[in-house]
Amino acid sequence: MSIKTWFLTTFRESFLYHYTSLEFRAKVFALIIAPSYEDTKEHDCKLLKEIAADVYEGDKHRQDVFVNIIKEYITIILKNPSVAYDEIVKEINRNVKTDKKLSKKINTEHLKRFLKTDISEDRRLLQQRIFEFLEEQSKTA
């Protein structure tokens, strides 16, 4: 990670233009990726970079910050899943209710690429329920 990327990630609230939108997207991706992350980490990281390049085309630093923030949220989720999932789901729900434009930031086609079938049934069901929740949120606008 470059110094500039670290700096922008760490101080995103002060130095990143529209950081709330980026933060919202990061939470969405972290929710869908976390259930399978330990098993598919390398694949998911590669896929994340591709999607970041698509979403933030032409802005390499924003792409890198986006991926780093997603990894931060995944770490938070994996450390305390019972609390973190609930809190992030509530935040996403609250954010979409207060700002309908955020629902357009939920790209279900991107999210579908992270759905796994080769993980335990519990984690697969969790991932499917999260996807269904995010899909509903994307229709809120």
Side-chain angles (χ1 to χ4, degrees):
M1 175 182 337
S2 75
I3 291 173
K4 183 173 182 175
T5 300
W6 173 85
F7 182 82
L8 289 173
T9 301
T10 305
F11 301 105
R12 59 186 170 258
E13 294 170 11
S14 301
F15 295 102
L16 268 182
Y17 180 69
H18 290 300
Y19 91 93
T20 53
S21 170
L22 185 135
E23 190 98 16
F24 177 81
R25 275 193 175 123
K27 289 175 188 174
V28 167
F29 277 96
L31 271 181
I32 201 75
I33 295 168
S36 65
Y37 191 68
E38 292 174 332
D39 297 335
T40 58
K41 187 177 190 174
E42 288 181 32
H43 177 265
D44 288 347
C45 287
K46 182 181 176 192
L47 190 53
L48 261 178
K49 289 178 182 177
E50 290 174 17
I51 290 171
D54 184 38
V55 173
Y56 298 111
E57 188 177 342
D59 191 342
K60 180 71 171 128
H61 290 295
R62 197 164 186 88
Q63 293 168 22
D64 292 343
V65 169
F66 179 60
V67 171
N68 287 332
I69 295 171
I70 293 169
K71 289 179 183 179
E72 281 180 17
Y73 279 112
I74 289 171
T75 302
I76 291 167
I77 291 169
L78 295 178
K79 282 184 181 177
N80 193 355
S82 60
V83 174
Y85 279 113
D86 288 343
E87 288 302 312
I88 294 174
V89 164
K90 286 177 188 174
E91 286 178 35
I92 289 172
N93 190 32
R94 187 173 43 249
N95 291 341
V96 169
K97 283 182 179 178
T98 58
D99 185 356
K100 302 281 189 211
K101 290 184 281 183
L102 288 176
S103 65
K104 294 180 187 325
K105 306 289 181 188
I106 302 173
N107 184 322
T108 55
E109 292 305 313
H110 284 159
L111 298 177
K112 279 181 189 176
R113 297 172 67 184
F114 291 99
L115 294 176
K116 305 289 189 278
T117 56
D118 58 344
I119 57 177
S120 74
E121 185 175 345
D122 290 342
R123 291 190 290 159
R124 188 172 43 76
L125 285 172
L126 174 60
Q127 198 176 47
Q128 186 59 42
R129 287 187 182 131
I130 290 168
F131 179 79
E132 290 167 2
F133 163 74
L134 293 170
E135 191 173 39
E136 276 304 308
Q137 294 297 307
S138 72
K139 297 174 184 174
T140 302

